[in-house]
Amino acid sequence: MSEKTELSADLALLGVLAVLWGASYTFIKIGVETIPPVSFIAARTLIAGAVLLTVIRWRGLAMPAEAATWRRFAFQACLNSVVPFTLIAAAERSVDAGLATILNATSPIFTFLLTALITRHEPVTARKLIGVGAGIVGICLIIGTEALGGLGHQLWAQLAIVIATVSYAGAAIFGRGFKGLDPMIPAAGSMLFGAAMLVPLSLIVDRPWTLAPSAASILALLGLSVFSTALAFVIYFRLIHTLGSVGTTSQAYLRVPIGVGIGAVFMGENLGPAAWVGMGFVVAGVAAMTIPARRAGALPGKA
């Protein structure tokens, strides 16, 4: 396969990933209506991990035996599922799915900042710096003005999503360490470790056997687990190796209109004027940081 064909395939997968993760916010919004956040995410990671492990065995692959690799899976689970999944699920009890999509779309900004300050494995350019500035302005517009109308619970919910986004950024960088593995392996390992951490907590905090989830919440959980988690994370770990950490998180600017549109169609959500302006800044900022990187072909060394 030629380099151009491979890039086209990767960009197509990037679009698929944007759709899968764009839909996840509406799945979460529906799910947490009748399922507490910790139990919802515990089930999400458990189902996704089980699906991935089944496919891995069907393909004749084996999970690594080295303890060091499993420790890395555990750390990746904290960064990429346990912390951000739970924070977003808890936040979406008071924050619209569309607004959560916009705030979480800033992951390339934080990926770039962490890369520039810590790992320095990708170049710092003037356009990327401008993109970071635009993204930060967008965050301030969304959080600052939207929160003033109901200062308190919603503000902390929005900040929780931003913290989750920083966690995702760290995961995108740390995920470079799994380059030698089939993409399904770290996806399954991190999901299984996430379940191992969250299921006991769910049993203690929520006592899930006492819950009575609606059919809509159960269907949302299944859709989120199978499509927006298991399938999405296989694509994610493949793209981390081919497009790089910043390149992969660039699906965030595609995810914004998709996530906002799904929330509007299925949940009847409407964004305020400040959120629309903030979304414009976020999309422009993320695009400024990622599109030049893909054009320049500066991604082979990233993972």
Side-chain angles (χ1 to χ4, degrees):
M1 187 182 294
S2 68
E3 183 177 341
K4 186 175 181 179
T5 303
E6 288 180 355
L7 179 60
S8 296
D10 286 339
L11 294 179
L13 286 175
L14 198 69
V16 173
L17 185 60
V19 173
L20 292 174
W21 276 349
S24 69
Y25 301 95
T26 296
F27 282 142
I28 293 170
K29 187 71 176 178
I30 295 171
V32 296
E33 288 178 353
T34 59
I35 304 174
V38 172
S39 291
F40 185 74
I41 299 305
R44 175 186 184 179
T45 54
L46 182 62
I47 294 170
V51 169
L52 288 167
L53 189 60
T54 299
V55 175
I56 285 170
R57 289 181 175 175
W58 176 75
R59 291 178 60 199
L61 301 176
M63 297 297 289
E66 301 84 9
T69 302
W70 281 97
R71 284 194 294 271
R72 293 180 65 81
F73 287 163
F75 189 64
Q76 182 75 9
C78 291
L79 289 176
N80 220 21
S81 56
V82 175
V83 172
F85 284 3
T86 306
L87 286 175
I88 291 172
E92 284 205 50
R93 286 195 147 184
S94 58
V95 171
D96 285 346
L99 190 57
T101 304
I102 297 171
L103 291 174
N104 201 221
T106 57
S107 55
I109 295 169
F110 292 107
T111 301
F112 172 75
L113 289 174
L114 291 176
T115 296
L117 295 174
I118 301 174
T119 64
R120 300 181 181 179
H121 66 276
E122 299 183 18
V124 175
T125 65
R127 183 170 291 191
K128 287 182 179 181
L129 290 174
I130 293 171
V132 168
I136 291 174
V137 169
I139 295 172
C140 293
L141 281 171
I142 295 166
I143 291 182
T145 57
E146 288 289 314
L148 290 177
L151 192 62
H153 183 59
Q154 192 176 17
L155 173 62
W156 287 111
Q158 293 174 12
L159 290 176
I161 296 173
V162 174
I163 293 170
T165 303
V166 176
S167 185
Y168 279 139
I173 295 172
F174 187 76
R176 299 172 69 242
F178 300 114
K179 190 170 185 178
L181 298 176
D182 183 279
M184 276 196 173
I185 301 296
S190 62
M191 286 299 107
L192 291 172
F193 251 112
M197 297 176 193
L198 289 170
V199 169
L201 183 60
S202 167
L203 295 175
I204 296 170
V205 174
D206 296 329
R207 297 191 302 165
W209 59 89
T210 66
L211 302 176
S214 66
S217 289
I218 293 174
L219 289 175
L221 172 61
L222 292 174
L224 179 70
S225 302
V226 175
F227 298 106
S228 296
T229 307
L231 176 59
F233 269 87
V234 172
I235 296 173
Y236 169 81
F237 278 106
R238 173 204 158 108
L239 293 179
I240 282 289
H241 300 324
T242 55
L243 292 183
S245 53
V246 174
T248 300
T249 53
S250 70
Q251 48 75 31
Y253 79 87
L254 300 174
R255 191 171 72 221
V256 169
I258 293 170
V260 171
I262 292 173
V265 171
F266 292 99
M267 305 297 292
E269 297 176 352
N270 292 305
L271 297 177
W276 281 109
V277 175
M279 179 173 74
F281 274 97
V282 168
V283 172
V286 174
M289 287 188 297
T290 55
I291 290 177
R294 293 205 301 270
R295 284 180 181 171
L299 300 169
K302 305 181 199 173

